[in-house]
Amino acid sequence: MKDFSDEYAGSMSIRQVLLHNLSIPFAQAQPALFDFDQNALFFAFAGDVVVTRNVISGEYLSFLAQCGLDFSQVTFIASQATSLVGPYDIFSDQQILARVRSTVGDGRHYVFDSFLLSSYEVVWAQELGLRYEGNPDHYHRFGSKSTFRSLAKEHHFPIARGFENQKEVLDGALRVASLFLRGFSEIVVKHDEGVAAVGSRRFARENFLSQFSSFEKLLANESSHSIVATRSDRFVIEGWYDTVVSSPSVQLYIDFDGQVELISLHVQLFYENKMRYKGCLSEQWLAQPVRAQLIERGLSFARVFSDQGYRGHLAFNTILLQDGTLLWTELNPRRVMSSYPFQLRKRLFGEAAKDVFYISKHVQKELWKGKTIDFVLKALALVLFSCQKKGGVVPFDYGLLQSSGRLSVVAFGSSQEEITTLFHYVESL
């Protein structure tokens, strides 16, 4: 990693070039999924440059301006190509590169801001002379589930009962049997580098033997081929806890000098399988003792990663059991989806943000398939956020709207009741 500290020390004003490409390795994903990069605008301020695959809707930008977000001095650069279908195609778009270069000059007054710093982001930033913090190898070095469990054990952080670095089918079957004998009615098998529950599967005790061939294929890496990262062929096997009350998470940032900063707390929401992320709740849904423990232990755990050279964003996921036990379950060595509603709250409410409740969820409707964000803004007109109401809903992340009728929606308000009512209205349309 290049040390830019001396080179940029004399810069009078550092601005950002934001390209929040979804660089986590997905396959069989819809091309529109990678329009996720529009979310970067919530982190953009005067003088910044936001780079996206497609042009962000003017109607949507006007709505955000009415909410109080000022993008008048932000430069938006979108691809003019029609063939950006792969996850990394945007980095080879020479027209985008040329337009960004004409805006940033030699790049010395800009830093690069990404969702996840992969090797593609690094090469792109280097071509433009942009400063970046982090190392693309960190995703694989620190992000595997086995590495996380090993570090947690070493530093005495409580984790779910289970086994890491599993590879052999016979050994894995014995581990599964031991978890069933300890009282678990279900287990979950997770590929070391799987994301968004891809490469993960739950097995129930009563039908494990009848599904053994599926378990065997999973550990043999056959069923997960081409849909997860391929640097690791190992798995984690864990007991599935039936007494989970909620799934708190804590987001932190480690700067270039290794200093750890607390960013946010959330409660994660999941789809019916209880593994795939659907949205989040603001920190007010967590009892104060849980918040305090998340902060204290999260900062402590982040320092472990800082001491080992990790730089950039990271998020720890946990599960809270009925007896109050907090188990640390996973690390995401990157920004996370819940970063965006949290940042939007900061932008909308400023110093009062911590007093504002919110719910954020993916919402999918057949009626919205094939429609634009402009259509959705009209459909939600009665409950849209306004400065006068000091609350309301804001749609975002609409890359899958036309293809699947799906987007994310966040509802802001002064109480749980208020935002729950707002969300009921959105879901009832």
Side-chain angles (χ1 to χ4, degrees), residues 26 35 78 95-96 126 161 206 209 212 217 227 251 259 288 307 373:
F26 281 102
D35 289 344
Q95 288 187 339
I96 278 187
Q126 288 175 341
R161 184 181 287 274
E206 60 268 20
L209 291 179
F212 190 78
K217 287 180 179 179
I227 59 174
Q251 291 74 47
Q259 298 301 306
Q288 187 55 44
D307 291 344
I373 188 61

Side-chain angles (χ1 to χ4, degrees), residues 166-184:
Q166 295 300 296
K167 185 177 180 182
E168 302 298 329
V169 174
L170 178 57
D171 285 347
L174 292 174
R175 302 292 186 266
V176 170
S178 72
L179 290 170
F180 286 152
L181 289 172
R182 285 178 167 84
F184 288 100

